[in-house]
Amino acid sequence: MHDYPIILFLAILTLAYGLISRVSERMPITAPMIFVTVGIAVGPLGLGWFDSTLEDSVIRLVAEITLVSILFVEASTIDLKALLRERDLSIRLLCIGLPLTMILSTFAAAALFPEMSWWLLALMAFMLSPTDAALGQAVVTSERVPPTIRRAIATESGLNDGLVLPPILICMAALGAGASHVEVEGPSYWTAFIAAQLLLGPLAGSLVGWVGGFAVDYCATRALMSPTFQRLAAVCLAVVAWALAEEIGGNGYIAAFVGGLLLGIRHESVRERVQDYAEAEGEQLTLFVFLVFGLAMVPTFIDLWTWESWLYALLCLTVLRMLPVFLSLFGSPLSAGDRLFVGWFGPRGIASVLYLEMVVLDLGAGGMDQMLGVVVLTVLLSVFLHGLSAVPLTRLYGQGAAPAPPVLTERSGAQN
């Protein structure tokens, strides 16, 4: 299939949504919900206008650039010094909540899918562990929610997708990932793999992030670089870090994340312009991925959704997320209701979709159809459940009541 029709359709859809975007901000209907729904409607499950697959060249290219850009830009928004100095809720969520979520999700998957290997179970759990604050945008932008909670949710979302990358890559290696499909056996392979992925990637990323950021900072503050190109610097630096790491045998995605984390820009106004990329160009790439999600991913795996898939997806969005968050915030100033509120707003979104695409491109879907189907179902439910609940729950929270999420009412009462 030629790529032009879907690109044309995306451009028209983005423009049409943009024309009413101000109106949609006041409604519990998010842009990802609209793009996923439209994707399903025009794909094989609906009108059949498009019949894209995950292997289409344009989809692969956009997915890779989107993942690299998101990892870089989100990491660049984190103030590491402030994060370590404050030791706030984000540290608890990332250092306690995230590992607990990964562990509990793996064992829950083993109970529901005993036919899967442990590597496959862990890969599925890890892919579904990172959160996407954009799916509950009303929460992180609302003045009704205390700044500490908004910052915690946003910081967690910005860092956890990069933190789960190394274990995801290890699982992929154990399942035969990589262009050469090297058989995983013996300590020598693991030593070489860990050295390449966890050392060379960060080395390339830190070099590009610091040197590239310093160059942008220097030229921008001396009126040598226009604001337009300061914005474009984000994707340029992200791609350079990614490509350099791949060239020297490291992992490009880890490099992009580390590059953003160590971005050498000191002037706040320059850093804000660089990060503005995510507000426009990055948003368009993200919406394209959600369109493809509804267009190609949902139709591909919908027939594989068993009752076990539905149960695990719901558990991922509730107990397997909320219990670790509740425990990780124990002893903090937050009430039980606050902790449940933070736990519920851990949507599974763009990172999980892009990791799924990465796995399919490197490993193929053969033998992993059921696992990939669970990931797609979980993200689909999250897009709508978190999108629809963000505005009303935020309003209730602002009135002094942090209610338990709809799907966890009884359990929440038991925990309190």
Side-chain angles (χ1 to χ4, degrees), residues 170-244:
I170 290 174
C171 291
M172 290 174 62
L175 291 167
S180 58
H181 297 283
V182 179
E183 183 178 356
V184 182
E185 55 179 327
S188 60
Y189 172 83
W190 284 107
T191 302
F193 173 80
I194 293 174
Q197 301 292 302
L198 305 186
L199 294 178
L200 295 179
L203 178 63
S206 58
L207 177 65
V208 172
W210 192 85
V211 175
F214 176 82
V216 172
D217 202 25
Y218 181 89
C219 294
T221 55
R222 285 159 179 78
L224 298 174
M225 189 177 192
S226 71
T228 298
F229 282 92
Q230 291 173 40
R231 285 167 58 97
L232 293 176
V235 68
C236 294
L237 291 174
V239 171
V240 169
W242 172 49
L244 178 61

Side-chain angles (χ1 to χ4, degrees), residues 203-338:
L203 178 63
S206 58
L207 177 65
V208 172
W210 192 85
V211 175
F214 176 82
V216 172
D217 202 25
Y218 181 89
C219 294
T221 55
R222 285 159 179 78
L224 298 174
M225 189 177 192
S226 71
T228 298
F229 282 92
Q230 291 173 40
R231 285 167 58 97
L232 293 176
V235 68
C236 294
L237 291 174
V239 171
V240 169
W242 172 49
L244 178 61
E246 295 290 341
E247 186 66 25
I248 65 176
N251 183 268
Y253 300 115
I254 292 179
F257 178 73
V258 174
L261 205 59
L262 301 180
L263 185 62
I265 295 179
R266 297 293 174 260
H267 291 82
E268 190 61 31
S269 60
V270 179
R271 181 179 284 267
E272 287 178 358
R273 291 192 195 102
V274 171
Q275 293 165 352
D276 280 345
Y277 169 85
E279 297 296 327
E281 293 88 347
E283 178 71 9
Q284 187 169 27
L285 290 174
T286 299
L287 292 178
F288 177 82
V289 172
F290 278 116
L291 178 67
V292 170
F293 176 78
L295 184 67
M297 296 186 184
V298 173
T300 299
F301 299 107
I302 190 172
D303 291 335
L304 301 174
W305 294 347
T306 62
W307 70 267
E308 292 94 345
S309 303
W310 283 91
L311 178 57
Y312 185 75
L314 291 173
L315 287 174
C316 274
L317 300 180
T318 54
V319 179
L320 299 177
R321 155 72 184 180
M322 299 179 72
L323 181 58
V325 168
F326 196 91
L327 294 175
S328 69
L329 298 178
F330 185 78
S332 72
L334 299 186
S335 66
D338 292 331

Side-chain angles (χ1 to χ4, degrees), residues 7 27 40 44 98 100 104 112 152-153 199 253 261 303 312 325 329 335 365 376 381:
I7 294 175
M27 302 172 61
I40 294 174
L98 179 60
L100 277 178
L104 290 178
L112 288 171
I153 293 175
L199 294 178
Y253 300 115
L261 205 59
D303 291 335
Y312 185 75
V325 168
L329 298 178
S335 66
V376 170
L381 290 176

